[in-house]
Amino acid sequence: MKHVLLRTSWQAIIGIFLCLPIFYSATSISTFNKDVEKDLWHVKAITPDGRFLDVKAIDQNGKIFSVKALEIDGNTHLMDIKALVGDHDDEMLPVKMLASGDAFFPIKAIGKNGEIYDIKAITHDNVKLDVKGVGRTGSVIQIKAISQYGMLFGIKAISPSGITHDVKGIKMTNLDVEAEINGVPIFAHIKAFPPPVNLGSDYILNVRMIHTDGVSFPVRAIDAAGVQHKVKAFYRHGNAYLLDVRAMIDGKNLPLAVMVSDDALSPVKAIGTDGQIYDIKAIGENGEIIDIKGTESLGNIIHIKAVQSDGSIHGVKAVSPTGVFYDVKGIKMNPALVEGRISGVEIRANIRALPQVR
């Protein structure tokens, strides 16, 4: 079977999401906060017979460095992949999928001055295998180590206790250049995700507030006239890692985002193609209007919660028709306050539904 990466820009079946490319410094994204608690997961290629191959970064002089997945304050929904360089592995460099004209996309670490480190899987007899982006399902790109015989080995992040996450490329825009880091154009970010569940034919999931009393309420977009519109999560292109969350308004499916704000709790809104803003609320018992907010931020993740007037906080989930739950989260690729723009509106984070973590 040939693995061919679809390189044309893609357009979602349901709605269009477009952000401007991001430009930032690799040194600024070594960690989001130096004071947070960080745990390192191993990054390995897995052979068909179950052996683990080390995944390493290699500089231009052939020096080899560790590659790790970074768990920040217990957040394992969406973990950064970093190369640990320096004399004491004390500098963390981002690992990214570079923009390229090749059939398969190269995976590299990027230094603070734009220097490039190769990412290789190393066999037990010291053969260095390429690690590439080889196939795409929607916004997620498969990453594999490629043996000298053309075999493809999956890449996993493995915790010290043996929990495994899948290492994948992720695109947040439909642009050929997703962002630029220290002058290096990248096609996609590299993250570790929890393994998805089988959604089968459950292509549209309901977005619900889950009350601590064990009841659920619908989440809705509300327009200026007070009309309520459904909010759904969409499973498409076989991508069960990262589901779009959209407001269904006047025949369009509009993206949700955490907004830029000075408030302690960040507003969550839907954004129209003309930049119009729609409130996102849960509709409680007897029609109570309940705020949906971005609350605590951990690494790449902003928790999305329903906040009642008495201050009580409740989860927000995407629920499939067969009862599969996904966590609705704000996700960030950029450490700056402004993640990007949707229809000209600055946003703090995109909103997606991700598999639940153990």
Side-chain angles (χ1 to χ4, degrees), residues 41-44 46 69 76-81 137 140-144 153-159 162-170 189-197 238-242 326 354-355 357-358:
W41 292 34
H42 309 293
V43 177
K44 304 284 186 177
I46 312 300
T76 60
H77 273 99
L78 192 69
M79 295 189 292
D80 286 334
I81 306 298
T137 52
V140 171
I141 301 163
Q142 306 301 317
I143 295 176
K144 304 290 183 181
F153 304 149
I155 307 294
K156 303 286 185 180
I158 305 172
S159 77
I163 296 172
T164 61
H165 279 202
D166 297 339
V167 176
K168 303 292 181 183
I170 172 177
H189 305 276
I190 308 295
K191 305 294 179 185
F193 294 84
V197 295
N239 166 28
Y241 288 96
L242 201 66
Y326 268 56
L354 297 93
V357 295
R358 286 176 275 182

